[in-house]
Amino acid sequence: MDEITKIHASLRTVEWKENKVVMIDQTKLPNQLVFVTYDDFNQVADAIRNLVVRGAPAIGVSGAFGLALASLQSKAETKEQLLQDLEKARKILFETRPTAVNLAWGLERIMKTANSGNSAEQIRNLVINEAKKMADQDIEINKTMGKIGSKLFDNNDTIMTHCNAGALATVAYGTALGVIRAIKESGKNVKVIATETRPVQQGSRLTAFELKHDGFDVSLIPDTAVGYSMANGLVNKVIVGADRIVKTGHVFNKIGTYQVATMAKQHGIPFYVAAPLSTFDMKTNAKDVIIEMRKGIEVTGIGDKKTAPDGISVINPAFDMTPPELISGIITEKGIAKPPYEESIKKLFEDT
Ligand code: MRU
């Protein structure tokens, strides 16, 4: 694995280069912009597990690139042998993180492509091309979603966002932050308030970094200042991304999203979600979605500094569920779903 530290003018989170996967190591941000290069799908699995790459669309594409690496690593000479090797790799990649449905979506799309090939050599080519196509499509989809969503926002809005649903959570551009980018590109002037998003601080480390890097007027608040900011008129709209949206419009996103949405409702502030269709799970019921529980160490300290007593018991869910009644609209590349969500979400897929 190579590590090269460099500063780039624009952020591409994950990329296929010379039969290797190159990613920004997000655990090092905002202090260092480090690119890591992987040639083994197990390294990609570790990267997803350890949040080197994170954010639902980014891990979907990373999973696909992981399978592309697995196809090159495999010594298989027949279609059947290669499909078996790919299936083993798919399982390892799938088990890295449970909540974002984009991971399963990305892996399934590549497995389907692999099954359509006639020989091991053809499968390798098809799989690599499909994964590259998924990465390019992710950017196009975000741009389309941005244009559609930008119409919901006005000049001089101050928009709150939670976690990181930006270029760093996707291949580039972003979902929620993609909408914010598109608002600016349409000539409207907006300010952003980013929550720090404890415990891993995707808001302060990543959103604040990314928006500042791109010249946005962004202010950082502690998660506990959401109510204060809304009650004191500092915010007039909210936009977040999503890890999984089920057919009833229940949105699974970074822990704390439910609190932000509840506060927004209390203060009559519109709360929007931006997510591509690959984030929708039309099969699973809300109650059956697995919420990832992470290690206590993320809560018992900040960086290397310990902030809790030894041996303390910790509850550290990585995601929560926001019910549809708190959501003003779900922005997708196929349009904006509005309540009642069961009908509007179904329609998004019928038109596809
Ligand atoms: O634990 P993470 O950092 O992978 O969680 C990411 C989020 O919750 C994002 O808000 C979500 O994936 C939307 S990204 C476009």
Side-chain angles (χ1 to χ4, degrees):
M1 189 180 84
D2 268 343
E3 282 199 350
I4 315 158
T5 304
K6 48 187 174 179
I7 298 295
H8 258 225
S10 67
L11 302 169
R12 181 136 177 159
T13 306
V14 53
E15 202 170 359
W16 183 259
K17 267 192 185 160
E18 293 163 6
N19 285 345
K20 296 190 173 91
V21 180
V22 181
M23 290 180 184
I24 294 175
D25 181 350
Q26 301 192 32
T27 63
K28 302 252 181 0
L29 289 172
N31 299 322
Q32 286 173 292
L33 187 58
V34 174
F35 290 78
V36 283
T37 304
Y38 300 123
D39 55 12
D40 182 331
F41 80 88
N42 290 293
Q43 293 171 319
V44 174
D46 282 342
I48 297 173
R49 212 177 280 118
N50 300 326
L51 309 184
V52 168
V53 63
R54 33 65 53 200
I59 63 176
V61 171
S62 299
F65 281 147
L67 283 181
L69 285 181
S71 78
L72 293 178
Q73 286 171 259
S74 166
K75 303 268 182 293
E77 286 174 5
T78 65
K79 171 176 175 169
E80 291 67 32
Q81 285 166 347
L82 182 53
L83 288 179
Q84 275 177 22
D85 287 347
L86 285 177
E87 178 49 32
K88 282 184 207 149
R90 186 202 65 79
K91 194 166 179 301
I92 290 170
L93 288 158
F94 175 75
E95 285 170 355
T96 52
R97 298 195 73 192
T99 307
V101 76
N102 305 60
L103 179 58
W105 168 86
L107 296 170
E108 270 163 32
R109 182 160 154 182
I110 294 295
M111 289 308 287
K112 200 165 157 212
T113 301
N115 272 288
S116 73
N118 294 321
S119 65
E121 230 16 71
Q122 192 194 16
I123 291 175
R124 288 186 178 95
N125 286 330
L126 285 173
V127 159
I128 292 168
N129 286 335
E130 188 68 9
K132 281 161 66 177
K133 190 166 138 196
M134 283 167 70
D136 292 341
Q137 282 177 345
D138 179 79
I139 302 173
E140 287 317 306
I141 286 170
N142 287 341
K143 288 194 171 161
T144 305
M145 201 156 55
K147 277 210 183 90
I148 293 172
S150 66
K151 301 199 170 60
L152 295 167
F153 295 81
D154 300 307
N155 197 31
N156 295 326
D157 273 349
T158 301
I159 308 167
M160 180 178 282
T161 189
H162 184 63
C163 191
N164 173 265
L168 289 162
T170 59
V171 174
Y173 205 71
T175 56
L177 298 193
V179 172
I180 292 175
R181 285 197 165 84
I183 300 168
K184 195 175 174 190
E185 283 160 18
S186 75
K188 293 177 217 163
N189 194 21
V190 289
K191 291 184 182 160
V192 182
I193 291 187
T195 58
E196 60 182 348
T197 321
R198 276 282 290 155
V200 186
Q201 292 176 296
Q202 291 93 332
S204 56
R205 291 189 308 105
L206 308 178
T207 297
F209 165 79
E210 178 178 329
L211 290 180
K212 193 164 173 286
H213 177 275
D214 290 346
F216 280 87
D217 180 336
V218 54
S219 303
L220 181 65
I221 58 163
D223 295 332
T224 41
V226 169
Y228 171 93
S229 304
M230 290 183 178
N232 287 283
L234 305 188
V235 184
N236 58 327
K237 280 172 194 146
V238 179
I239 188 162
V240 298
D243 289 85
R244 189 183 295 239
I245 302 173
V246 297
K247 57 180 179 295
T248 46
H250 291 78
V251 169
F252 293 80
N253 192 48
K254 178 53 53 189
I255 191 72
T257 303
Y258 175 43
Q259 285 173 194
V260 177
T262 305
M263 270 294 162
K265 185 80 170 180
Q266 166 76 5
H267 294 286
I269 294 172
F271 178 93
Y272 296 109
V273 176
L277 293 193
S278 55
T279 301
F280 287 74
D281 174 356
M282 301 298 278
K283 294 189 200 122
T284 312
N285 291 319
K287 66 176 177 34
D288 297 324
V289 173
I290 299 171
I291 299 284
E292 176 182 3
M293 301 302 285
R294 295 188 64 87
K295 288 191 180 139
I297 198 167
E298 290 176 351
V299 183
T300 54
I302 298 179
D304 292 336
K305 193 173 179 331
K306 199 151 70 73
T307 56
D310 285 337
I312 188 75
S313 149
V314 173
I315 302 167
N316 185 20
F319 301 95
D320 60 22
M321 183 191 78
T322 299
E325 58 272 20
L326 301 182
I327 301 167
S328 314
I330 304 178
I331 302 155
T332 76
E333 71 272 33
K334 294 284 176 202
I336 303 170
K338 288 276 178 75
Y341 288 108
E342 200 125 18
E343 279 170 34
S344 57
I345 291 175
K346 196 163 157 231
K347 193 148 189 323
L348 291 175
F349 283 86
E350 280 168 4
D351 295 348
T352 306

